[in-house]
Amino acid sequence: MSFSEIWLFLQQGVLSGLVTGSVYALLAIAIVAIFKTTDVPNFAQGEIFMIGGYVALSLLLIAGWSYAVVIPVTVVAVAVGAALFQRVVMERVTRSKGVGPQLVIATLGLAYMLKGLVRQTGLGDTPRSLPSLVSNDPVIIGDAFLTRLDVAIFVASLIAMVLIYLMFNHTRIGKAMRAVGMNPRAAQIVGIRLSRIRMLVWAMAGLLSALAALLITPKILITPDIAHIAILAYAAAIVGGFTSLPGAVLGGLIIGIVENLVGLFISTNAIVVAPFLAILVTLILRPQGILGGKPQVKKV
């Protein structure tokens, strides 16, 4: 392999990795936000993402609605559904003195319920993808190329991340979420309602999941097994730091780039191994993640 080919593959791998990694980053933000405010990993994140794709697909192809209506309805519907699950299920488990394992089981129950619902309705029988709002015309960047859809995915993801950053740093709700993530008891003492904030965090996670689905499903097929993308989001959260929102973004981009570089330089069959290798290296060299801060020891 010549130097020019290596340079081309590097450019293509990084650019394509930034596109897919930006979607992983959105899901990783959702995972980290829920974990920081509840100390519970949401194992239904992939299924919430999947439902976002199927809601949009149903409204577009079955109901015949336009994208102008489908996008806000899908985002709001998934966000409301996630918020209701937190309020109706997670909050009741917490009030009944449920501990970590019970809460984790509740998220697993949601995952199986959503996947079963899709299979029972018959929507998952035929793999489909959403029609694209943006053309697939090539865009040349350096020696590599993307499509206009790729650029739109990256830009939309970047805008969403900037808005999340502004919310966390410049709004009362965002600051309250940060306070709950840092110290729930202290936040409660100063008058922050934990149940309300946790419900809003779940709503935000649902919103980001629906947005990620709307962005990536024009490029990939929607099936009940599409929820496996959450594994890559978890890998992103672990690599970047499971308690760091900026780390989730960085981890998502790293996982996306590593995946694409492995596919180009080694083999497409090795892509599935790349995220787990990244997790392994991170856990050996920096267990708390790249931006995870100092390791903390909790008394039990």
Side-chain angles (χ1 to χ4, degrees):
M1 184 179 293
S2 65
F3 176 78
S4 60
E5 290 176 324
I6 293 175
W7 179 237
L8 172 61
F9 281 2
L10 278 174
Q11 292 181 74
Q12 189 65 56
V14 170
L15 290 175
S16 298
L18 289 175
V19 174
T20 54
S22 63
V23 176
Y24 301 157
L26 291 178
L27 293 174
I29 290 172
I31 290 170
V32 170
I34 289 177
F35 182 78
K36 279 176 68 67
T37 53
T38 63
D39 280 334
V40 175
N42 176 20
F43 287 116
Q45 191 63 58
E47 282 68 23
I48 296 173
F49 163 83
M50 173 199 68
I51 284 295
Y54 275 111
V55 168
L57 186 68
S58 301
L59 295 178
L60 277 169
L61 301 184
I62 298 176
W65 293 4
S66 68
Y67 254 123
V69 180
V70 168
I71 292 174
V73 169
T74 299
V75 168
V76 171
V78 177
V80 170
L84 286 176
F85 173 76
Q86 197 286 328
R87 175 65 78 179
V88 174
V89 178
M90 300 294 282
E91 189 64 26
R92 289 191 178 185
V93 173
T94 302
R95 289 180 179 177
S96 62
K97 307 301 181 183
V99 292
Q102 284 86 357
L103 293 169
V104 170
I105 290 171
T107 67
L108 287 171
L110 175 63
Y112 283 108
M113 184 191 75
L114 293 177
K115 187 172 288 188
L117 180 65
V118 168
R119 293 188 186 278
Q120 286 299 316
T121 56
L123 289 172
D125 294 344
T126 304
R128 297 184 178 124
S129 59
L130 292 180
S132 175
L133 272 174
V134 184
S135 71
N136 280 311
D137 294 338
V139 177
I140 307 299
I141 303 176
D143 295 326
F145 77 93
L146 299 175
T147 65
R148 290 186 178 181
L149 176 59
D150 291 331
V151 175
I153 290 172
F154 180 74
V155 171
S157 299
L158 191 62
I159 291 172
M161 294 176 206
V162 171
L163 291 176
I164 291 293
Y165 170 82
L166 293 175
M167 183 199 71
F168 273 115
N169 289 278
H170 299 286
T171 67
R172 293 183 63 185
I173 291 295
K175 291 177 180 177
M177 289 179 179
R178 291 175 60 195
V180 172
M182 293 176 184
N183 194 323
R185 290 184 181 179
Q188 196 170 25
I189 290 173
V190 299
I192 297 174
R193 291 176 54 192
L194 297 185
S195 59
R196 178 170 177 264
I197 294 301
R198 286 169 176 165
M199 184 180 71
L200 290 174
V201 168
W202 270 82
M204 182 189 73
L207 184 151
L208 291 174
S209 300
L211 177 61
L214 288 167
L215 291 175
I216 200 64
T217 45
K219 286 179 65 70
I220 61 176
L221 292 174
I222 306 174
T223 70
D225 296 323
I226 198 178
H228 78 276
I229 197 173
I231 296 175
L232 301 171
Y234 265 98
I238 293 170
V239 169
F242 219 88
T243 58
S244 170
L245 291 173
V249 175
L250 178 61
L253 298 178
I254 289 174
I255 293 297
I257 291 171
V258 167
E259 265 194 328
N260 279 272
L261 290 178
V262 167
L264 288 170
F265 282 102
I266 301 176
S267 168
T268 54
N269 294 327
I271 290 178
V272 294
V273 181
F276 301 101
L277 181 62
I279 291 174
L280 183 62
V281 171
T282 302
L283 292 177
I284 292 174
L285 300 179
R286 190 173 172 81
Q288 69 272 32
I290 297 173
L291 300 180
K294 295 181 179 180
Q296 296 180 352
V297 178
K298 292 185 178 181
K299 292 183 180 180
V300 296

